[in-house]
Amino acid sequence: MQASGRHAGLGLALVSAIAFGGSGVAAKPLIEAGLDPLHMVWIRVAGAALVLSPLAWRHRDLLLRRPALLAGFGLVAVAGVQAFYFASLSRIPVGVALLLEYLGPALLLGWIRFVQRKPVTRAAAAGAAVAVVGLACVVQIWSGLSLDPLGVVLGLCAACCQAFYFVLADQGADGKDAPDPLGVIAYGMIIGALVMTVIARPWQLDWSVLAGRAEVAGAEVPAAVLVGWVVLVATVFAYLTGVVSVRKLSPQVAGVVACLEAVIATVLAWVLLGEHLDAPQILGGALVLGGAFIAQSSRASGPAGDGAAVSGPAGDGASGDGADGAPAPTALDREPTSA
């Protein structure tokens, strides 16, 4: 039963990474058509909040039972990842900002080991290290080595928010009164949408872009279809599967698997947007896959009590993207969660 649950968790984590990774290829054509990036984030989060609002009403008891968890998830796992990521993008290269954001799993391991004072398996630590090296190759960090210090700090803040996405997603999963992940995500999106409304100022949005068309893979696609994909698949579906995967695995394992989002986003951009990959990027993708495989092996071979060693801290708290359960990210995502 434990093995079947772990396999299901790995499958959900992979599906979540694919969904999060697909946000970029849908959001970028809209941005190129004239939509401001912050407005794209607002549409993504606000749209998800609207879709999930019936679930928020159904789980309204969470407002009294777990107010701190809901606030943390909305502020950190939804709004925090998005806002810090895009703020860093304004000062440093995209690839470097993406790499900094995906230092989240490594920071998560540090949190578990030194703050919670719980053991971290060697396999999870090794997998995270290999994945970070692979990500550096995927985003070609060497292409932007002249970095703005404030941009780096903002990128690291996005990484911290992503790490707490996994901590909060795991919060209370082992208890009898565990909060329903559907309700947590619904309220997280609503709170995130309120915060992003202040940051993005959607009243300045060029709504005519959404009524037009955008080019994807050489074809003209209605902008509304792309918005629907970003909201329903790359946000709602991605966050739901991501949080459930964390609860079936553990924050440290799910965090490393989430690194696949950057690889998937790069491959989809290659296929659909013509952004070709070179040899280092292909090698980097293989390293990320290898890191995810190494990390998940810790769950397979670890002792029976391994799950308890990685459960969330006492008190309320988010993945990113969310985000035991990026944004998801990760990520509009990429956002994260970034778009």
Side-chain angles (χ1 to χ4, degrees), residues 197-211:
T197 296
V198 175
I199 296 174
R201 294 175 291 183
W203 49 87
Q204 298 178 353
L205 193 155
D206 184 0
W207 295 97
S208 63
V209 175
L210 303 183

Side-chain angles (χ1 to χ4, degrees), residues 263-288:
V263 178
I264 292 166
T266 303
V267 172
L268 289 176
W270 178 23
V271 175
L272 297 177
L273 302 180
E275 298 180 356
H276 299 292
L277 300 178
D278 56 22
Q281 289 179 302
I282 295 174
L283 174 61
L287 288 173
V288 174

Side-chain angles (χ1 to χ4, degrees), residues 2-49:
Q2 184 178 6
S4 62
R6 177 175 57 83
H7 293 153
L10 288 172
L12 287 171
L14 179 59
V15 169
S16 178
I18 293 173
F20 272 124
S23 64
V25 294
K28 185 171 181 177
L30 292 172
I31 293 173
E32 292 179 340
L35 197 64
D36 183 89
L38 274 180
H39 289 160
M40 182 68 252
V41 175
W42 178 83
I43 289 171
R44 177 184 184 177
V45 177

Side-chain angles (χ1 to χ4, degrees), residues 229-258:
W229 177 273
V230 169
V231 171
L232 298 176
V233 177
T235 306
V236 174
F237 182 70
Y239 268 94
L240 290 175
T241 53
V243 168
V244 174
S245 74
V246 176
R247 295 194 172 191
K248 288 185 175 294
L249 295 169
S250 71
Q252 57 178 306
V253 175
V256 177
V257 176

Side-chain angles (χ1 to χ4, degrees), residues 11-12 21 47 80 127 164 169 182 200 206 220 251 298 313:
L12 287 171
F164 274 96
L182 300 180
D206 184 0
E220 292 290 326
S298 68

